[in-house]
Amino acid sequence: MNSNLKNLIENVVKSTVDTNENIDAAYLAAAIEKELHEQVTLTSLRSKLEVLFEYEKNYLELIKSYKEEIKFASTIQEDIRKERAKFFAKTLKEASNTLSDSQVESTVASSWLKELVESYTQSLDLSSVLIEEHSMDMVGKIREEAKAHKMQLEKVAHHAGEK
């Protein structure tokens, strides 16, 4: 606590305590100073906790408001994974069997299957990148909104602390 406040407390205690009483003015002043310091610290902590609570509450509200977009991005990512698995488990096998049944020369069939795998993999990879970028943009947007709200809360708390 600053020395001006400490001196003020000591002067107030000295002026209110009768010198004939067995009360140690310095001890009483220190006790008052300690209690005041604890109250100020508690008020400051309470204010910071309120800002943090409101920030977290707002963050959850933002996530709720973007719930559909989050579900959409998650569903697309899941669909891409399923599509990739299906391609390698079923589609590629069917294409290979069709080429074999059509009696396409094995080197031609192999080359064609290789190009099919590369093309399809690139397409799925591009889709994954696009949805990942969209997801990251959405997370960034949520964080920016939450940060802006937190700054507003901190300003309000700061101004309330000045009063």
Side-chain angles (χ1 to χ4, degrees):
M1 190 158 296
N2 73 33
S3 61
N4 291 339
L5 184 57
K6 186 175 183 174
N7 291 337
L8 180 64
I9 292 171
E10 285 180 13
N11 290 337
V12 168
V13 169
K14 285 178 185 175
S15 67
T16 57
V17 173
D18 187 356
T19 54
N20 295 332
E21 295 180 31
N22 279 338
I23 298 176
D24 184 0
Y27 175 77
L28 186 56
I32 292 171
E33 179 186 355
K34 181 181 176 201
E35 181 65 27
L36 185 60
H37 179 70
E38 287 175 5
Q39 288 299 320
V40 168
T41 302
L42 183 59
T43 302
S44 174
L45 178 61
R46 184 175 292 134
S47 175
K48 288 177 184 176
L49 286 174
E50 285 174 3
V51 167
L52 182 60
F53 176 77
E54 286 299 318
Y55 172 76
E56 292 297 327
K57 183 176 160 187
N58 181 59
Y59 203 79
L60 287 174
E61 289 298 320
L62 284 170
I63 289 174
K64 274 178 156 176
S65 68
Y66 285 97
K67 178 175 69 174
E68 293 306 315
E69 289 89 343
I70 293 168
K71 281 183 182 179
F72 176 72
S74 177
T75 301
I76 289 179
Q77 289 173 334
E78 183 180 346
D79 289 346
I80 291 171
R81 287 189 298 272
K82 285 178 182 178
E83 175 97 16
R84 188 180 300 269
K86 179 183 171 193
F87 174 77
F88 284 105
K90 186 176 178 186
T91 308
L92 189 58
K93 186 185 286 186
E94 288 174 357
S96 178
N97 289 341
T98 301
L99 289 172
S100 196
D101 291 346
S102 300
Q103 299 179 350
V104 173
E105 189 178 315
S106 64
T107 56
V108 173
S110 176
S111 175
W112 189 83
L113 289 173
K114 181 180 176 187
E115 286 180 27
L116 176 66
V117 168
E118 287 175 2
S119 171
Y120 199 80
T121 302
Q122 286 175 353
S123 175
L124 290 175
D125 290 346
L126 179 60
S127 296
S128 291
V129 167
L130 291 174
I131 194 63
E132 185 178 326
E133 286 177 1
H134 172 72
S135 298
M136 295 307 291
D137 288 346
M138 187 173 30
V139 168
K141 191 174 184 180
I142 292 171
R143 283 187 177 151
E144 284 177 19
E145 287 183 36
K147 189 186 287 185
H149 185 73
K150 182 181 178 195
M151 289 172 60
Q152 289 173 341
L153 289 171
E154 287 173 340
K155 284 180 184 177
V156 168
H158 180 71
H159 289 307
E162 291 178 348
K163 292 179 182 178

